[in-house]
Amino acid sequence: MKEKNAFHINGYLGLVGLILVLLAGLWCVATGDNRASFGLIIIGILLWIIATLFLSSLTIVGPNNAKAVLFFGKYLGTIKENGLFITTPLTRKIPISLKVRNFNSSLLKVNDADGNPVEISAVVVFKVVDTAKALFDVDYYLDFVEIQSETAIRHIATQYSYDTFNEDDLTLRGNTAEVSEELAKELQERLAMAGVEVIETRLNHLAYATEIANAMLQRQQARAILSARQTIVEGAVTMTQMALEQIENGQDIHFTDDRKVQLINNLLVSIITDKGTQPVINTGDLSEK
């Protein structure tokens, strides 16, 4: 099915014309009071029938609404303009909304890319752009949107991990904008057959499933501690190296290998530890020419 424009004319102008046709039919009947003018009576009756049929085809289309016109089961087209119109007689007019709608998916429990169960839901903003496809290519397009949206959300959730400490990886928690964009693209492909345009999608709930929430929280804390320690160690090594270079070059002091190891150990411990360190004064020989 493909949407097309249905035949329609301005209802106010058409109503004036039909009133004139009714008056003409009334005049024909009134003047045909003998056998010689019997033909005028027939013409008057035909004018009344025609005017009555077109009067029955009057239809009102509201803003952001449309009406699909069917003639004995055949799709004639759609009226998208708002106002009063006269269309083909003996037709069925099916109303359909063109307004922007929100669909809030139910809370879904799925496994992410790492196999962890997560709870996820999303909001889908959409509207109908092809009335023929929405009405005749799918059965109840609103139900179709709901089912396809939840299917797409489940599929997208399995493509990404909930969280990771690798900055290059896309995650559900850390890259919601990218995930929402990917969800919108997949939904658009699924809903194109229903004549629906996806305007926006947004994740509105994302969390670990309750049965593993505590364990995942401990795992996140452990990963955070390891990541922080790694940063501290890298910084401590850099600072220690700079300190040795500045001492040796600036003061013309040369340490033995044992003294370097001892100094490096002391500097690393003092920098990395999260507790206060106690200074020790060494009065021995620290350098060797």
Side-chain angles (χ1 to χ4, degrees):
M1 298 295 297
K2 187 176 181 180
E3 183 182 275
K4 57 183 178 180
N5 291 326
F7 163 76
H8 61 282
I9 60 175
N10 186 283
Y12 301 103
L13 296 178
L15 193 58
V16 172
L18 291 177
I19 292 175
L20 294 177
V21 172
L22 286 174
L23 292 176
L26 181 61
W27 179 83
C28 291
V29 173
T31 55
D33 54 354
N34 52 55
R35 292 183 178 180
S37 57
F38 181 74
L40 289 177
I41 298 176
I42 300 298
I43 294 174
I45 294 174
L46 290 177
L47 290 177
W48 279 1
I49 293 174
I50 293 173
T52 302
L53 287 176
F54 275 96
L55 281 174
S56 66
S57 69
L58 277 171
T59 184
I60 299 174
V61 181
N64 278 331
N65 285 275
K67 285 192 175 180
V69 181
L70 273 69
F71 183 73
F72 292 102
K74 182 179 180 180
Y75 173 67
L76 299 182
T78 302
I79 304 174
K80 284 189 171 181
E81 302 174 44
N82 57 322
L84 178 65
F85 300 100
I86 291 180
T87 184
T88 306
L90 303 177
T91 54
R92 178 189 175 194
K93 277 77 71 176
I94 304 176
I96 183 171
S97 175
L98 303 179
K99 299 176 183 178
V100 177
R101 300 188 179 190
N102 286 329
F103 166 69
N104 189 7
S105 70
S106 58
L107 194 62
L108 306 175
K109 183 181 291 186
V110 298
N111 293 332
D112 66 357
D114 295 331
N116 300 317
V118 298
E119 295 177 347
I120 187 172
S121 66
V123 174
V124 180
V125 183
F126 68 96
K127 68 176 181 179
V128 174
V129 293
D130 192 312
T131 57
K133 290 182 178 180
L135 289 174
F136 309 119
D137 279 359
V138 296
D139 192 13
Y140 301 108
Y141 74 94
L142 290 177
D143 293 342
F144 185 82
V145 170
E146 179 179 350
I147 295 174
Q148 292 300 322
S149 297
E150 293 186 352
T151 303
I153 293 170
R154 289 181 180 275
H155 180 258
I156 289 296
T158 61
Q159 304 302 308
Y160 301 95
S161 300
Y162 177 87
D163 196 9
T164 180
F165 287 96
N166 189 350
E167 296 181 356
D168 297 332
D169 293 340
L170 292 178
T171 62
L172 296 174
R173 189 179 69 88
N175 303 93
T176 55
E178 290 81 358
V179 173
S180 298
E181 183 178 354
E182 188 67 24
L183 176 60
K185 290 181 180 179
E186 180 168 342
L187 262 180
Q188 186 59 67
E189 295 177 358
R190 292 173 178 265
L191 299 180
M193 67 178 66
V196 172
E197 177 186 357
V198 178
I199 300 175
E200 183 185 17
T201 59
R202 287 291 176 185
L203 300 181
N204 64 343
H205 179 83
L206 181 64
Y208 281 116
T210 54
E211 59 267 23
I212 66 164
N214 291 332
M216 289 298 103
L217 179 59
Q218 294 177 359
R219 180 182 177 184
Q220 286 182 345
Q221 291 173 345
R223 286 185 175 181
I225 292 173
L226 290 175
S227 178
R229 287 295 182 185
Q230 181 181 359
T231 303
I232 292 174
V233 170
E234 292 175 355
V237 170
T238 302
M239 293 172 63
T240 302
Q241 183 179 2
M242 292 174 59
L244 287 174
E245 292 176 354
Q246 291 179 3
I247 292 174
E248 289 183 339
N249 297 333
Q251 304 296 329
D252 194 22
I253 298 176
H254 300 282
F255 295 105
T256 63
D257 292 340
D258 293 337
R259 293 297 186 183
K260 282 185 178 181
V261 171
Q262 183 180 359
L263 182 57
I264 290 172
N265 179 70
N266 293 337
L267 288 174
L268 288 176
V269 170
S270 63
I271 294 173
I272 294 175
T273 184
D274 56 354
K275 298 180 180 180
T277 57
Q278 298 294 329
V280 177
I281 298 176
N282 192 334
T283 59
D285 186 11
L286 295 178
S287 64
E288 233 179 47
K289 294 289 185 178

